[in-house]
Amino acid sequence: ASTFIGPDGERVGLARRPDNLRPEGNFGGSTTTATTYGAKDGERASPMRRADNLRLEGEFGGSTTTSSAFIGPNGERVGLARPADNLRLEGDFGGNTTNASAYVPVESERAAPLRRADNLRHEGDFGGVTTTSSTFVGPNGERVGLARRPDNLRPEGDFGGVTTTSSTFVGPDGERVGLARRPDNLR
């Protein structure tokens, strides 16, 4: 807890300056521009469809003079011409090259790891305590107890735990549909 307690300050009152601005008369909210140049409701003109004398007469086959006069011939696909060559394999083909037969890899043995002897040995007891840790011993601290402050908040009266909403709007209890197990023909 701190030892310094400051004095309670007082809040300065709000100073409201008087003025002479007051609304006088009625306020309609309409301007001169809105009353003079108001929006006018216009009528939409109905669409006018002109009469014409364009009618289809006779039958329409859908063939033109160009398509009937210039008919292309049905072509045939040319066969694939495979030229002959004189390249033939002679003799046996083993797949061995001169390089692979001349340079044969030699299998070698891995050398065993060699462990050198040393003269490093522990002599005497090793307690694991250093000069610094034995000289500078820190104090054991104690934990401060938990301070529980008293309060004046107590529930008064009965507490049923039922609200107006929960008592007014009670939901219906539904029934669970039973599990229907269908017969199967996989036996």
Side-chain angles (χ1 to χ4, degrees), residues 11-22:
R11 187 176 285 250
V12 179
L14 182 63
R16 189 172 181 91
R17 308 284 182 222
D19 59 0
N20 58 353
L21 301 176
R22 301 284 182 274

Side-chain angles (χ1 to χ4, degrees), residues 14-98:
L14 182 63
R16 189 172 181 91
R17 308 284 182 222
D19 59 0
N20 58 353
L21 301 176
R22 301 284 182 274
E24 297 178 356
N26 295 329
F27 180 72
S30 62
T31 61
T32 310
T33 308
T35 57
T36 307
Y37 306 103
K40 305 291 189 285
D41 292 335
E43 294 181 3
R44 181 176 288 238
S46 60
M48 183 177 292
R49 188 173 180 90
R50 306 290 181 196
D52 58 2
N53 58 355
L54 302 176
R55 301 286 181 270
L56 289 175
E57 297 177 356
E59 295 180 0
F60 180 72
S63 62
T64 61
T65 311
T66 307
S67 64
S68 61
F70 304 103
I71 298 174
N74 291 332
E76 295 179 2
R77 185 175 287 253
V78 179
L80 184 61
R82 190 175 183 94
D85 58 0
N86 58 353
L87 300 177
R88 300 285 182 268
L89 289 175
E90 296 178 356
D92 294 333
F93 179 72
N96 294 330
T97 62
T98 312

Side-chain angles (χ1 to χ4, degrees), residues 95-115:
N96 294 330
T97 62
T98 312
N99 192 18
S101 61
Y103 304 102
V104 177
V106 179
E107 293 185 8
S108 61
E109 296 180 3
R110 182 176 289 235
L114 185 61
R115 188 172 180 89

